[in-house]
């Protein structure tokens, strides 16, 4: 399916990754060809030679009062920090606009896992007496988006999605539709994920650290989507515009070419810069199209996660020249697949 | 862009109150409560020891041993209900697989299996890695898409208790916008120690079967299951001679932005969402015959929801019954709204308003009509279905014949 988006611009970006807080450290890392990956302790991964993109430098209290930060799980802290940066970048103070017209659609793969593990560990170790009620509310995957909405007073559409390595892209599609349908003027979208040693143990147990889960990462990247009309009315500059969002759920055996054609049409040929999410390189019919193309691969230096498509899209938008067309491609081993086209805007933030 | 209504051409359901649509319909018409003792895991340490479990469930009745081992309990429930819905709709082969998608709501997903892995690890015992395969809730949609060749949109909404309401509304939107010809929409969730212990730790589980809107209610009763609707454009459905069960007229959603667990006391956002859902559906409040409530049975939720209904319907509020089928099915979390959408559709078809079971006495703060006395006849063709969730996620669906 293809959803054209003719009236949606991106007016703000915010990121928290292993590269640091903000888009600039991310771009600098990409420009330098360096890496923010660090070794996973061998006792965690079950062997030497594995890396992860832990946001070691992140301190929630740089973005939140300590008392508030303590009430949130780390994934929510990432989301709240990235959302705050993105709103500031967009020049939006939510409480100064109609709160019902601003919402959030967030991809979140591993949000809630840390609190779930700690909560259950309390029970398995100490029975009912070991249960900590404070942990339970943040075991849900929508904790990050909800904490963002509580922190910034967003009362518009609020939704969290997960779909393999395309979780942030799934949220992006929905955010675009909400603006197109007139459900909101502004939507925060992107992804948030947390990585903890227990998850690496789990990936190791299932053989995933040698496959798709090698070099997992964490963090959050938020894009501020806005109807072009709304952005123009408040005199906001745009980092870019959304041209279309295409997705298919899976490639049907024997009809793979048809699926890829529906996904890409001519968009891959038109794009002068392509960002890559999930397992695109390992998907033959998609990976083949990348030969000789300018690409951005944030997973290579930050690690991969289910909702890190937000980071890839933020890096793409921040790298596009005015009027340049960019494509974000994302794939999961069993689907879904996304192709999101952007245009770098002429009226970029100073 | 399609111009017609988004209609429902197939329904599938699998839960503690019925293992298929016919069984569930019979339970609904007979006002049979499916809540009873839990034996899925040890609940002896908790004050509440009941739930609406799919008791005596044997995966081998539905899957071969090898397949069952790869699927979480939630995956299995989802596949069973999705299969019933798609089979009943007869939609397979009517269009390209790339025009058929899945939009589902999920909750704890494969947590029931994953927590067994964690328990073994903490005890220093060997645990099968297969227990982790379906831990994330999106796996169910992937499994269903692969099994039934749905190669279009694939997405899982994870907003706790409102997940499947949003998934159904979103699925209908994809059809209405012409992005998909067919969307399988619904939800699946399974009981887990995490959710059972969690709600008990928050002291919001009633030791007796939940009694929404009643005096002395103490909280929820957990349930599990899956339900799916096959959604398609009305013209497409009629052209292929499909049986039409009803329609999803529209939906609305919002975040309260208030508190992670407590609802906004005045119910202002909930009221706004109900109003917007009706407006987007082209329905006036006078056309709505009744509401399938979120109706968890917690002291706070039921008062707030009653207040929100008063804000929306004004003087007419006492004439619009607010009923909770959770007293029959338990709270199925990520699948709750899908199960309730099916209950609503059955009731609309049978021209009844289902009762709110387990009445304990009238609460002066819940002073609307809740049909505690039993089902009542109703000619209305339109009903709302509300879902509220942790984090303040609210969704309201408008369903009709």
């Amino acid at each position: 399916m293809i959803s054209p988006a003719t009236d949606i611009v991106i007016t703000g970006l915010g990121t928290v990754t292993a590269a640091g807080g903000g888009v600039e450290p991310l771009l600098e890392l990409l420009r330098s060809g360096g890496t923010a990956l660090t070794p996973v302790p061998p006792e965690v991964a079950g062997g030497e030679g594995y890396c992860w993109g832990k946001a070691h430098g992140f301190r929630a209290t740089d973005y939140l009062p300590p008392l508030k930060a303590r009430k949130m799980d780390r994934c929510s802290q990432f989301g709240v920090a990235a959302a705050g940066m993105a709103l500031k970048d967009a020049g939006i103070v939510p409480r100064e606009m109609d709160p019902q017209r601003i919402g959030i659609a967030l991809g979140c793969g591993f949000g809630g896992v840390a609190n779930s593990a700690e909560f259950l560990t309390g029970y398995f170790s100490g029975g009912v007496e070991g249960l900590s009620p404070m942990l339970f509310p943040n075991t849900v995957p929508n904790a990050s988006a909800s904490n963002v909405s509580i922190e910034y007073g967003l009362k518009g559409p609020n939704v969290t999605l997960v779909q393999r390595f395309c979780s942030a892209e799934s949220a992006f599609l929905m955010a675009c539709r909400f603006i197109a349908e007139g459900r909101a003027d502004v939507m925060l979208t992107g992804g948030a994920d947390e990585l903890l040693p227990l998850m690496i143990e789990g990936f190791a147990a299932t053989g995933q650290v040698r496959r798709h889960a090698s070099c997992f990462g964490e963090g959050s990247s938020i894009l501020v989507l806005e109807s072009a009309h709304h952005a123009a009315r408040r005199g906001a500059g745009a980092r870019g515009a959304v041209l279309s969002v295409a997705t298919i759920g899976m490639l049907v055996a024997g009809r793979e070419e048809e699926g890829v054609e529906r996904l890409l049409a001519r968009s891959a040929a038109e794009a002068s810069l392509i960002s890559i999410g999930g397992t695109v390189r390992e998907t033959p019919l998609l990976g083949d199209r990348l030969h000789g193309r300018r690409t951005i691969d944030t997973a290579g230096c930050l690690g991969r996660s289910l909702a890190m498509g937000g980071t890839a899209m933020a890096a793409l938008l921040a790298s596009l020249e005015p009027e340049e067309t960019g494509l974000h491609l994302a794939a999961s081993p069993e689907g879904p697949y996304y192709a999101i086209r952007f245009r770098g805007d002429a009226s970029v933030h100073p | 862009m399609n111009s017609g209504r988004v209609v429902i051409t197939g329904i599938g359901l699998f839960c503690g109150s019925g293992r298929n649509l016919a069984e569930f319909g019979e339970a609904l018409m007979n006002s049979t409560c499916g809540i009873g003792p839990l034996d899925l895991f040890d609940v002896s340490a908790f004050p509440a020891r009941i739930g609406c479990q799919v008791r005596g469930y044997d995966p081998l009745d539905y899957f071969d041993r090898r397949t069952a081992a790869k699927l979480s309990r939630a995956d299995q429930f989802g596949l069973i209900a999705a299969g019933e819905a798609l089979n009943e709709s007869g939609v397979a082969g009517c269009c390209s697989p790339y025009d058929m998608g899945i939009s589902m709501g999920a909750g704890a997903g494969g947590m029931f299996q994953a927590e067994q892995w964690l328990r073994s690890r903490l005890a220093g015992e060997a645990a099968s890695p297969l227990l982790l395969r379906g831990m994330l809730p999106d796996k169910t949609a992937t499994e269903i898409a692969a099994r039934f060749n749905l190669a279009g949109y694939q997405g899982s909404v994870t907003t706790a208790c409102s997940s499947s309401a949003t998934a159904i509304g979103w699925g209908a939107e994809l059809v209405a916008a012409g992005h998909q010809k067919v969307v399988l929409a619904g939800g699946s969730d399974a009981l887990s120690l995490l959710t059972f212990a969690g709600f008990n730790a928050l002291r919001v589980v009633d030791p007796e079967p939940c009694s929404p809107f009643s005096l002395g209610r103490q909280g929820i009763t957990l349930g599990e299951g899956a339900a799916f609707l096959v959604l398609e454009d009305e013209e497409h459905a009629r052209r292929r001679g499909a049986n039409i069960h009803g329609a999803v007229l529209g939906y609305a959603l919002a975040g309260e932005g208030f508190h992670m667990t407590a609802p906004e006391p005045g119910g202002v956002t909930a009221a706004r969402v109900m109003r917007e859902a009706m407006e987007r559906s082209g329905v006036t409040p006078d056309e709505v015959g009744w509401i399938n409530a979120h109706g968890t049975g917690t002291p706070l939720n039921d008062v707030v929801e009653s207040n929100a209904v008063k804000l929306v319907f004004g003087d007419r509020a006492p004439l619009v019954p607010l009923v909770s089928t959770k007293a029959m099915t338990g709270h199925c979390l990520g699948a709750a709204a899908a199960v309730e959408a099916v209950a609503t559709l059955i009731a609309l078809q049978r021209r009844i308003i289902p009762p709110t079971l387990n009445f304990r006495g009238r609460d002066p703060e819940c002073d609307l009509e809740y049909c505690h006395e039993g089902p009542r006849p109703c000619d209305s063709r339109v009903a709302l279905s509300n879902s509220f969730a942790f984090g303040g996620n609210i969704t309201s669906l408008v369903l009709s014949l």
Side-chain angles (χ1 to χ4, degrees):
Chain A
M1 57 166 275
I2 298 177
S3 180
T6 54
D7 191 35
I8 298 170
V9 294
I10 299 97
T11 53
L13 302 174
T15 71
V16 172
T17 67
V23 178
E24 272 312 311
L26 169 62
L27 293 180
E28 183 52 41
L29 185 70
L30 289 167
R31 278 193 289 262
S32 70
T35 181
L37 299 174
T38 53
V40 182
E43 66 273 19
V44 171
E48 302 273 359
Y50 298 107
C51 293
W52 59 7
K54 285 285 283 181
H56 291 298
F58 176 76
R59 277 172 191 74
T61 49
D62 291 345
Y63 305 92
L64 283 162
L67 272 177
K68 272 188 184 173
R70 271 177 51 198
K71 288 183 183 171
M72 293 181 197
D73 60 312
R74 185 171 160 86
C75 193
S76 292
Q77 292 170 352
F78 287 152
V80 170
M85 279 183 243
L87 286 166
K88 189 176 177 189
D89 187 42
I92 290 175
V93 180
R95 287 184 169 84
E96 291 178 1
M97 64 178 281
D98 180 353
Q100 299 173 13
R101 301 297 300 166
I102 176 166
I104 180 167
L106 192 69
C108 189
F110 295 118
V113 172
N115 273 37
S116 299
E118 190 177 348
F119 182 80
L120 285 167
T121 298
Y123 179 70
F124 292 144
S125 307
V128 171
E129 297 302 313
L131 291 171
S132 174
M134 286 286 286
L135 291 170
F136 185 62
N138 286 327
T139 60
V140 291
N142 56 314
S144 291
S146 293
N147 278 310
V148 169
S149 73
I150 292 165
E151 180 61 24
Y152 301 109
L154 318 183
K155 291 180 179 287
N158 188 317
V159 68
T160 300
L161 294 112
V162 58
Q163 205 60 49
R164 314 273 103 177
F165 284 111
C166 296
S167 298
E169 291 80 0
S170 302
F172 186 94
L173 169 64
M174 198 180 258
C176 287
R177 281 299 307 167
F178 286 167
I179 292 174
E181 293 166 29
R183 293 178 187 269
D185 297 320
V186 177
M187 287 295 299
L188 274 58
T189 189
D193 260 327
E194 180 182 358
L195 183 60
L196 56 154
L198 183 67
M199 285 162 51
I200 300 292
E201 282 185 52
F203 295 141
T206 53
Q208 292 291 315
V209 291
R210 292 187 300 278
R211 294 160 59 202
H212 308 302
S214 59
C215 296
F216 249 61
E218 67 175 2
S220 174
S221 291
I222 300 287
L223 294 76
V224 177
L225 303 187
E226 191 167 355
S227 80
H229 176 69
H230 189 269
R233 208 172 55 209
R234 68 182 186 89
R239 285 185 173 271
V242 186
L243 300 180
S244 65
V245 185
T247 181
I248 57 169
M250 63 180 200
L251 292 167
V252 179
R255 296 173 68 172
E256 292 90 346
E257 292 282 0
E258 179 189 348
V260 171
E261 186 56 32
R262 284 188 181 228
L263 182 71
L264 293 177
R266 297 192 313 277
S267 61
E270 288 173 357
S272 54
L273 184 60
I274 301 174
S275 70
I276 298 163
T279 56
V280 168
R281 286 198 192 281
E282 296 97 311
T283 306
L285 288 170
L286 296 180
D288 295 350
R289 306 209 177 196
L290 300 177
H291 296 310
R293 309 297 300 273
R294 282 173 63 218
T295 59
I296 293 177
D297 187 356
T298 52
C301 56
L302 297 171
R304 173 189 275 172
S305 88
L306 298 185
M308 291 294 270
T311 300
M313 287 188 277
L316 175 65
L317 278 157
S319 303
L320 285 175
E321 297 294 330
E323 302 302 326
E324 186 181 15
T325 302
L327 175 69
H328 173 65
L329 263 183
S332 301
E334 302 158 297
Y337 306 85
Y338 275 81
I340 303 174
R341 288 193 307 138
F342 295 100
R343 187 188 67 236
D345 203 88
S347 54
V348 186
H349 282 277
Chain B
M1 176 74 78
N2 291 327
S3 55
R5 296 191 311 164
V6 177
V7 296
I8 298 155
T9 57
I11 304 176
L13 182 135
F14 188 83
C15 74
S17 289
R19 299 189 184 201
N20 53 52
L21 184 60
E23 276 187 29
F24 185 72
E26 195 178 327
L28 186 73
M29 295 307 290
N30 295 332
S31 304
T32 307
C33 176
I35 297 167
L38 287 180
D39 63 8
L40 189 63
F41 41 77
D42 182 11
V43 294
S44 59
F46 299 98
R49 297 169 190 166
I50 56 171
C52 195
Q53 179 189 328
V54 183
R55 274 179 284 276
Y57 169 68
D58 184 354
L60 300 184
D61 290 343
Y62 300 89
F63 306 95
D64 63 65
R65 192 173 298 279
R66 197 170 165 208
T67 304
K70 292 178 181 171
L71 300 170
S72 73
R73 190 172 170 91
D75 294 341
Q76 293 170 12
F77 290 174
L79 280 161
I80 295 166
E84 184 185 19
L86 287 164
N87 187 47
E88 204 228 339
S89 78
V91 76
C94 287
C95 54
S96 164
Y98 291 111
D99 290 324
M100 299 170 68
I102 176 167
S103 169
M104 71 167 284
M111 186 56 72
F112 171 62
Q113 278 84 0
E115 59 201 20
Q116 294 171 43
W117 179 85
L118 179 64
R119 185 201 291 264
S120 297
R121 176 190 168 275
L122 291 169
E125 297 165 357
S128 169
L130 283 177
L131 293 168
L132 291 172
R133 284 184 67 113
M135 191 185 90
L136 290 180
D138 55 353
K139 174 105 177 328
T140 309
T142 303
E143 290 290 341
I144 291 171
R147 176 71 59 93
F148 299 107
N149 214 24
L150 309 176
Y153 175 82
Q154 183 190 126
S156 302
V157 177
T158 50
T159 51
C161 311
S162 66
S163 299
S164 49
T166 303
I168 291 170
W170 172 237
E173 162 60 24
L174 292 174
V175 174
H179 291 329
Q180 294 281 267
K181 290 201 167 89
V182 177
V183 171
L184 177 71
S188 183
D189 212 346
L191 285 163
S192 68
L193 190 55
L194 173 71
T195 50
F196 192 80
F199 285 108
N200 269 283
L202 293 178
R203 299 178 189 277
V204 292
V205 184
D206 201 316
E208 301 296 321
C210 68
S211 56
F213 306 108
S214 278
L215 188 67
R217 66 189 178 280
Q218 294 183 53
I220 66 173
T221 298
L222 286 165
E224 63 178 354
F228 281 93
L229 310 175
V230 176
L231 307 177
E232 56 185 302
D233 174 63
E234 184 167 25
E235 191 184 320
H236 185 264
R238 291 201 185 281
R239 212 166 44 231
R240 70 180 186 86
N243 184 24
I244 293 173
H245 297 282
V248 179
L249 298 184
Y251 81 115
L253 78 168
E256 288 185 319
F258 176 72
H259 191 272
M260 270 307 291
T261 53
E264 201 179 43
V268 173
T269 303
R272 171 166 61 89
V273 170
M274 281 187 262
R275 279 194 204 100
E276 186 187 333
M278 287 186 283
E279 283 166 15
R280 288 186 171 276
S281 303
V283 163
T284 65
D286 288 346
E287 292 175 79
V288 174
W290 56 284
I291 302 164
N292 195 331
H294 185 57
T296 55
T298 61
L300 204 52
N301 172 88
D302 294 359
V303 173
V304 169
E305 190 168 10
S306 298
N307 290 340
V309 167
K310 289 178 201 169
L311 290 175
V312 175
F313 292 92
D315 293 343
R316 197 172 156 259
L319 304 176
V320 184
L322 179 65
V323 301
S324 174
T325 50
K326 285 187 175 76
M328 170 190 163
T329 64
H331 190 339
C332 298
L333 301 178
V339 170
E340 286 152 28
V342 172
T344 305
L345 285 163
I346 293 171
L348 285 169
Q349 288 169 344
R350 309 279 179 97
R351 302 293 177 138
I352 64 151
I353 302 173
T356 303
L357 304 179
N358 310 328
F359 182 56
R360 295 180 196 167
R362 188 158 288 277
D363 178 351
E365 288 192 277
C366 295
D367 53 356
L368 297 176
E369 176 54 57
Y370 305 102
C371 294
H372 288 305
E373 292 77 20
R376 60 168 60 183
C378 179
D379 288 334
S380 175
R381 298 173 62 84
V382 180
L384 290 183
S385 184
N386 287 340
S387 298
F388 306 162
F390 265 11
N393 290 80
I394 294 177
T395 303
S396 194
L397 282 172
V398 183
L399 302 167
S400 81
L401 284 179

